[in-house]
Amino acid sequence: MLTLLKNATLFAPEPMGLRHLLVADTRIAAILGPEDPLPTAWPGLATVDLGGRRVLPGLVDPLVHMTGGGGEGGFGTRTPELTLADAVGSGVTTLVGALGTDALTRTPASLLGKARELVAGGLTCLAYTGSYQLPAVTLTGSIGSDIVHIAEFIGVGEIAISDHRGSQPTVQELARLASEARTAGMIAGKSGIVFIHTGDAPGGLEILREVARTTALPLAQFLPTHINRTAQLFEDGLRFAREGGRIDVTTSTTPELLAAGEVPASEAMARALHARVDPTRLSMSSDANASLPHFDKDGRFLGLAPGRLASLFEALGECVNDHGIALERAVPLASTHAADALGLAAKGRLAVGQDADLVVLTETGWAIDQVWSLGRQIHRRPHETAGDSHHGH
Ligand code: ZN
């Protein structure tokens, strides 16, 4: 399968101007400049003219509760599964699935099945083994064995710290878990990342520092998320990133969370960049299909809303349009840095040999015109004016 994507204004994420991308099967085989001869006479070559539209790497979302996350208000409040229809138009082409608060009625086996459904639909879908609570639930009997033997499991998560819904892990428990994931990752050629759900208890990220202090584990073995959930946690997160850690912010939100002091994801990114935090330490995730519950001061459940996959692309737009972050600096926050943290070498950049995952923006405004995943167009904006693609010249 050979496709020539003509006239892309390429953000790789670095700006490369007008380019033509030759896609062979699932990968980018060549990136041609305006002066290079085009292989238009090749038999079987399909040509798509992107008309100078901006093209970005497909977004990489390091936290998607694709089986539904929780349901803290009883069975009537279980959050729904992510549908393929919602996924293909979101701009996210690489999703990493996790169980959430509920690892009792939702299991690693159902997570893996769901990941494979999305892969069958054309996306790249990976997952974390384990659960909020320790001891972690697994498919094959241990975290290490899951990471080594199951291709999709790239690490362990979301492990909850500083949260009333977690198992209140000790430093020793976390150290042991992280060592197991790290070693298994080395054996399998994966990151073995430990993805951390950070709650809003005053302890914040301290326990992760304690693990790094008392073991030879690097802080970057952990990827803590929800760092924008409170002002205090955000300040702690900036410190954590300066100490060599990575931090992830959540793009899904609710009016209740914002009213309770959550820092909007795009604002958090702008403030972190302004504070001169190393940008490669920063990423965003959607927390799609998670439950975003709110509780009163006595811990009574008041209500919840599900997270949305589309919020990642929306937050990227806010970074650019509301906070003035240049597109080439903003895109890595929703793609490249997560790919690097998760050890996904073929993702997060548009270059020869990389997976042909890309988002084509509309000519004006902030919207998605097309999504390509593994060399195939999986989404096209409806009601587009006819006649500007699928034809050669
Ligand atoms: Zn979480």
Side-chain angles (χ1 to χ4, degrees):
M1 215 172 84
L2 280 172
T3 310
L4 181 66
L5 299 173
K6 278 175 56 176
N7 300 316
T9 300
L10 191 61
F11 288 83
E14 62 281 4
M16 293 181 67
L18 201 66
R19 301 279 153 159
H20 314 295
L21 290 105
L22 181 66
V23 174
D25 195 17
T26 62
R27 296 196 173 195
I28 299 170
I31 297 179
L32 306 170
E35 274 88 54
D36 293 318
L38 296 182
T40 43
W42 288 8
L45 178 80
T47 300
V48 176
D49 193 342
L50 299 179
R53 294 185 182 92
R54 292 165 294 171
V55 171
L56 325 172
L59 305 189
V60 176
D61 192 336
L63 182 63
V64 180
H65 295 285
M66 48 189 68
T67 56
E72 285 86 335
F75 288 109
T77 66
R78 277 162 64 89
T79 53
E81 285 195 7
L82 176 72
T83 65
L84 180 64
D86 279 343
V88 291
S90 67
V92 177
T93 53
T94 301
L95 304 80
V96 188
L99 297 176
T101 315
D102 174 10
L104 294 164
T105 77
R106 311 183 203 254
T107 67
S110 62
L111 183 63
L112 196 56
K114 186 69 193 180
R116 289 176 180 177
E117 175 197 335
L118 298 171
V119 167
L123 295 159
T124 297
C125 202
L126 301 155
Y128 305 111
T129 180
S131 47
Y132 255 41
Q133 299 87 3
L134 299 181
V137 297
T138 69
L139 187 66
T140 66
S142 78
I143 291 295
S145 159
D146 277 8
I147 293 172
V148 169
H149 298 301
I150 310 292
E152 288 87 347
F153 287 135
I154 58 168
V156 59
E158 281 184 289
I159 308 298
I161 62 168
S162 303
D163 194 296
H164 59 107
R165 293 165 296 171
S167 61
Q168 319 312 328
T170 63
V171 171
Q172 205 128 51
E173 282 176 312
L174 264 184
R176 185 172 176 163
L177 176 89
S179 298
E180 186 178 359
R182 179 176 171 81
T183 309
M186 288 172 171
I187 292 166
K190 299 174 179 178
S191 67
I193 196 89
V194 183
F195 200 88
I196 296 286
H197 163 101
T198 318
D200 52 14
L205 298 165
E206 201 46 39
I207 191 168
L208 303 184
R209 293 187 181 91
E210 194 61 31
V211 171
R213 254 199 302 272
T214 55
T215 67
L217 286 160
L219 265 191
Q221 193 66 36
F222 299 102
L223 182 51
T225 192
H226 312 317
I227 297 306
N228 54 328
R229 199 48 55 80
T230 68
Q232 190 187 349
L233 180 57
F234 181 60
E235 292 305 321
D236 192 22
L238 293 182
R239 225 170 28 248
F240 189 78
R242 286 207 184 84
E243 292 160 1
R246 300 176 191 276
I247 53 171
D248 185 83
V249 301
T250 303
T251 56
S252 287
T253 189
T254 64
E256 290 80 10
L257 286 168
L258 290 169
E262 186 179 62
V263 183
S266 56
E267 183 188 323
M269 292 290 92
R271 284 170 56 184
L273 291 173
H274 188 73
R276 302 201 176 280
V277 169
D278 175 357
T280 68
R281 305 279 112 182
L282 307 173
S283 63
M284 301 193 285
S285 60
S286 71
D287 206 11
N289 297 65
S291 53
L292 304 173
H294 50 286
F295 300 93
D296 70 10
K297 62 176 173 30
D298 295 324
R300 274 190 299 257
F301 174 82
L302 297 174
L304 65 74
R308 294 180 313 110
L309 192 63
S311 66
L312 184 56
F313 179 78
E314 291 163 9
L316 177 59
E318 288 161 17
C319 284
V320 175
N321 299 312
D322 300 349
H323 296 282
I325 303 173
L327 187 56
E328 61 269 27
R329 288 190 83 205
V331 166
L333 304 170
S335 182
T336 323
H337 299 160
D340 290 347
L342 301 174
L344 307 177
K347 304 297 186 185
R349 286 179 185 83
L350 296 175
V352 172
Q354 295 291 103
D355 285 345
D357 298 342
L358 44 99
V359 177
V360 181
L361 301 181
T362 50
E363 281 146 38
T364 55
W366 185 256
I368 294 172
D369 185 70
Q370 304 171 31
V371 180
W372 291 70
S373 179
L374 296 169
R376 282 180 50 221
Q377 190 188 65
I378 58 167
H379 174 77
R380 180 98 206 265
R381 191 181 203 209
H383 314 301
E384 186 63 44
T385 49
D388 60 347
S389 106
H390 293 294
H391 62 131
H393 285 287

